[in-house]
């Protein structure tokens, strides 16, 4: 098993980040054009804790080498199952996802956490990402290592693009929200 880890700080409040998180695959995000559909399967709020739990199915158009689809079958659309937990009391968003496509060959389990920055909790948000990658191809250790190394490297490239795209979504969300607030202010003055 190989592990990918990443951390960064967004120069936006936790409220902005946790709200924009639901829009990260929108058209504003030119870095996520591979996401072709996001379907919410369920959404519930725990009455005791106030935690919002959401299950989603995400469909992605992947650039899978042709030999992979020839050997393993399937097509270039892959599916990811995501469960997220938004805890407004502790200001924490936790997202857990796992691949459904090719899961008999490769298991990728990702966890993402957004929390207010310790030193600037009102204006910055910490992002932590962890992905465990495990190839499931029997006793061929060299092949397993190669698949895992390739997947972790590709995961890192995609994670960088994902952060860049989310920054664009955050910027656009702030701009749109600011315009809405200004419009409301003008309407109140009229």
């Amino acid at each position: 098993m190989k592990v990918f880890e990443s951390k960064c700080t967004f120069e936006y409040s936790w409220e902005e980040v946790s709200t924009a998180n639901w829009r990260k695959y929108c058209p504003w995000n030119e870095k996520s054009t591979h996401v072709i559909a996001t379907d919410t399967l369920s959404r519930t709020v725990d009455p005791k804790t106030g935690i919002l739990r959401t299950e989603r199915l995400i469909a992605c158009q992947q650039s899978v080498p042709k030999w992979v689809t020839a050997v393993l079958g399937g097509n270039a659309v892959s599916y990811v199952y995501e469960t997220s937990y938004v805890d407004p009391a502790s200001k924490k968003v936790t997202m857990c996802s796992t691949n459904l496509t090719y899961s008999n060959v490769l298991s990728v389990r990702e966890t993402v956490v957004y929390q207010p920055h310790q030193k600037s909790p009102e204006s910055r948000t910490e992002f932590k990402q962890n992905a465990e990658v495990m190839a499931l191809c029997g006793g061929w250790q060299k092949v397993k290592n190669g698949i895992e190394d390739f997947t972790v490297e590709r995961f890192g490239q995609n994670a960088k693009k994902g952060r860049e795209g989310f920054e664009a979504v955050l910027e656009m969300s702030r701009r749109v929200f600011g315009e809405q607030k200004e419009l409301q202010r003008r309407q109140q003055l009229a």
Side-chain angles (χ1 to χ4, degrees):
M1 179 174 71
K2 299 287 182 348
V3 176
F4 171 83
E5 293 180 319
S6 175
K7 295 179 184 180
C8 76
T9 300
F10 290 109
E11 299 296 323
Y12 296 86
S13 69
W14 180 85
E15 288 78 9
E16 289 174 294
V17 170
S18 62
T19 301
N21 180 56
W22 302 111
R23 296 185 207 114
K24 72 178 166 186
Y25 300 126
C26 73
W28 302 336
N29 187 347
E30 296 175 1
K31 303 285 184 174
S32 70
T33 56
H34 66 291
V35 177
I36 56 177
T38 304
D39 295 310
T40 300
L41 305 174
S42 74
R43 181 169 279 156
T44 58
V45 176
D46 184 310
K48 292 181 182 176
T49 64
I51 294 174
L52 170 66
R53 182 181 188 274
T54 305
E55 295 177 68
R56 300 193 306 177
L57 181 64
I58 302 168
C60 305
Q61 183 74 38
Q62 296 293 345
S63 55
V64 178
K66 290 185 181 191
W67 67 266
V68 172
T69 55
V71 171
L72 301 176
N75 57 41
V77 177
S78 62
Y79 296 93
V80 174
Y81 173 75
E82 173 191 88
T83 306
S84 63
Y85 305 89
V86 180
D87 184 346
S90 67
K91 293 191 174 185
K92 182 178 181 181
V93 175
T94 305
M95 300 169 59
C96 305
S97 61
T98 187
N99 63 304
L100 298 176
T101 306
Y102 300 124
S103 60
N104 59 328
V105 177
L106 181 70
S107 171
V108 180
R109 297 185 184 274
E110 177 188 26
T111 303
V112 168
V113 175
Y114 298 103
Q115 288 182 291
H117 191 276
Q118 290 182 346
K119 294 181 182 175
S120 309
E122 298 303 316
S123 60
R124 300 168 81 198
T125 302
E126 292 180 359
F127 165 85
K128 294 178 186 172
Q129 179 181 32
N130 174 287
E132 296 175 349
V133 176
M134 185 166 52
L136 308 168
C137 37
W140 300 338
Q141 194 60 42
K142 193 171 186 176
V143 172
K144 285 175 68 166
N145 287 342
I147 292 170
E148 290 172 355
D149 289 340
F150 172 80
T151 304
V152 166
E153 182 180 328
R154 184 117 178 231
F155 200 93
Q157 294 166 358
N158 291 339
K160 183 177 185 252
K161 285 185 201 175
R163 282 190 304 277
E164 291 169 359
F166 191 46
E167 279 283 352
V169 170
L170 286 163
E171 183 179 321
M172 184 60 80
S173 294
R174 181 178 276 177
R175 190 175 315 138
V176 168
F177 183 70
E179 290 171 2
Q180 288 173 345
K181 283 181 79 173
E182 178 61 22
L183 180 61
Q184 288 173 349
R185 186 186 70 78
R186 287 181 184 180
Q187 288 173 343
Q188 289 173 348
L189 294 174

